[in-house]
Amino acid sequence: MALHHGSSEDRIRDADANPFVGEANPPFGSRVTQPRQRLANDPMAPEVAYQLIHDELLLDGSARLNLATFVTTWMEPNAQKLMAECFDKNLIDKDEYPQTAELERRCVAILADLWNAPEPTGAPDIVSSAH
């Protein structure tokens, strides 16, 4: 539920972009604005797009300080590295990535065993048949 009312037009500011982005990237200058409803006709440098989104997401606060969350907000750096290495894999395509599928099967079996599932070895079959 939104905590504010009014049209999106009311919330658009004159300076949409971080002023330092324009200074750091003079070709874009003050005409750098965040897309609201559609993409601009002119291209945007990847670094500028990253900075615009990064700056806007900073307004959300820190997940590590959110006491209302029930999920872990920190992980080992090696776990983050492994996840980043797999971003480009289509993990639904089990035939193309058989070793990843096998690792997934073993992880599901381990979790099933930790949760005292009746047959931990049967749990991966349920998961793989859903795909």
Side-chain angles (χ1 to χ4, degrees):
M1 180 169 100
L3 298 176
H4 52 80
H5 299 285
S7 70
S8 61
E9 301 292 326
D10 297 336
R11 293 190 300 269
I12 296 177
R13 301 178 308 269
D14 289 336
D16 282 341
N18 178 339
F20 296 114
V21 173
E23 294 293 326
N25 199 332
F28 290 96
S30 61
R31 65 184 181 93
V32 175
T33 58
Q34 297 173 353
R36 298 272 181 212
Q37 303 297 325
R38 62 180 57 164
L39 293 176
N41 291 331
D42 297 326
M44 182 182 295
E47 297 83 12
V48 174
Y50 167 82
Q51 194 64 51
L52 288 172
I53 294 169
H54 175 82
D55 290 350
E56 188 161 341
L57 292 177
L58 281 175
L59 299 173
D60 274 350
S62 173
R64 294 177 83 185
L65 300 176
N66 181 358
L67 298 178
T69 187
F70 296 99
V71 297
T72 304
T73 57
W74 183 88
M75 71 174 69
E76 290 287 339
N78 285 333
Q80 284 183 324
K81 185 177 175 181
L82 281 171
M83 289 176 66
E85 290 172 356
C86 294
F87 283 158
D88 61 343
K89 289 184 179 180
N90 179 0
L91 298 178
I92 299 299
D93 189 356
K94 308 266 189 218
D95 293 332
E96 186 67 25
Y97 304 105
Q99 195 56 44
T100 302
E102 170 58 19
L103 186 58
E104 176 190 48
R105 187 197 63 73
R106 293 184 349 224
C107 288
V108 171
I110 290 168
L111 288 172
D113 180 62
L114 285 173
W115 286 94
N116 298 317
E119 282 190 52
T121 55
D125 296 332
I126 295 168
V127 172
S128 62
S129 67
H131 294 301

